[in-house]
Amino acid sequence: MERLPPGQRWISKPVVYDIVDSIPSWDMQSYRFELFGLVEKQLSFSYSELLELSSDEIIADFHCVTRWSVKDIHWRGVKTLRLLSMAKPLPEAKFVFVRSLEGYTTNMPVEYLEDGILATYMNGDILPKEHGFPLRLVVPRLYAWKSAKYVKSIELIANDQAGFWEQRGYNMRGDPWKEERYW
Ligand SMILES: Nc1nc2c(c(=O)[nH]1)N[C@H]1C(S)=C(S)[C@@H](COP(=O)(O)O)O[C@H]1N2
Ligand SMILES: [Mo]
């Protein structure tokens, strides 16, 4: 299979995109990541607990729907499959709804979390603020708008629910290999 998805071109580093003009400073004393919804066991972690759990690594290409791709970004954190195995999703849990600290949201089928990671490090450093500090969901098999920065929670749900860009015409799934860009 061709490494570059159709309609994309390689660039050297990711272009920063945000729905807000400036990123607020997060209160890390009160910050918690929560995984909840259709699970046997809800999870809630402080930032220091997330750092302690951050022993997983992935290297993945990053594909933006605006047609640029970046090779081999190195992420370290907690694999989403590991989190799901702790939380034990119920059989009805088919989709996830992701919420970020500044109000961004996105959605996807739960199976795309099988090879994803909740990253606390990018290319060897603590996540830079503009790339998602304190926590970023990275979903290698979907376009980059599904890789939410500043993640606050992941909710497991039965019926797909449109996030920020999905409400504005972006695809509910967003597979770059199928060019699922917009509706
Ligand atoms: N919280 C949050 N996550 C987000 C976004 C955003 O605006 N807010 N933009 C998305 C989009 S459209 C893209 S292309 C990527 C860009 O990632 P980067 O800013 O790290 O390059 O982040 C995605 N994740
Ligand atoms: Mo994007």
Side-chain angles (χ1 to χ4, degrees):
M1 188 154 115
E2 179 62 49
R3 180 170 179 180
L4 186 65
Q8 298 292 111
R9 68 189 168 84
W10 294 116
I11 63 169
S12 62
K13 55 183 175 56
V15 180
V16 174
Y17 288 134
D18 281 296
I19 59 164
V20 292
D21 292 335
S22 72
I23 306 304
S25 315
W26 316 119
D27 174 6
M28 295 311 292
Q29 296 310 313
S30 63
Y31 174 82
R32 296 196 74 82
F33 164 74
E34 318 265 353
L35 190 145
F36 67 102
L38 299 171
V39 291
E40 275 180 34
K41 190 178 180 300
Q42 284 191 202
L43 306 177
S44 172
F45 296 117
S46 67
Y47 183 59
S48 58
E49 288 169 328
L50 289 168
L51 288 179
E52 276 168 40
L53 288 167
S54 292
S55 54
D56 299 324
E57 300 187 333
I58 70 168
I59 296 173
D61 297 344
F62 197 63
H63 309 293
C64 177
V65 72
T66 61
R67 299 183 180 273
W68 53 261
S69 293
V70 174
K71 282 181 188 166
D72 287 335
I73 302 182
H74 189 164
W75 306 98
R76 180 147 75 92
V78 196
K79 281 189 174 172
T80 39
L81 194 60
R82 205 169 126 213
L83 285 176
L84 290 177
S85 69
M86 293 183 216
K88 300 189 174 61
L90 301 175
E92 318 79 278
K94 300 291 188 214
F95 299 92
V96 295
F97 194 74
V98 185
R99 292 179 175 85
S100 297
L101 293 164
E102 93 289 29
Y104 187 78
T105 54
T106 190
N107 58 291
M108 71 210 74
V110 68
E111 59 265 27
Y112 287 90
L113 296 190
E114 281 161 13
D115 54 2
I117 192 167
L118 271 168
T120 50
Y121 293 82
M122 178 186 190
N123 295 330
D125 299 318
I126 288 285
L127 264 182
K129 186 172 185 185
E130 69 274 19
H131 292 301
F133 177 86
L135 187 67
R136 178 176 207 159
L137 175 64
V138 177
V139 186
R141 281 189 286 144
L142 296 175
Y143 282 120
W145 88 80
K146 305 285 187 179
S147 289
K149 306 191 279 189
Y150 332 114
V151 170
K152 175 171 77 170
S153 65
I154 298 179
E155 182 178 1
L156 280 94
I157 57 180
N159 301 304
D160 206 2
Q161 188 183 321
F164 182 89
W165 285 119
E166 293 82 3
Q167 289 167 27
R168 291 161 176 80
Y170 284 33
N171 198 272
M172 291 294 270
R173 190 167 57 180
D175 180 338
W177 303 100
K178 297 183 176 141
E179 286 209 72
E180 294 171 338
R181 296 174 188 274
Y182 310 103
W183 284 351

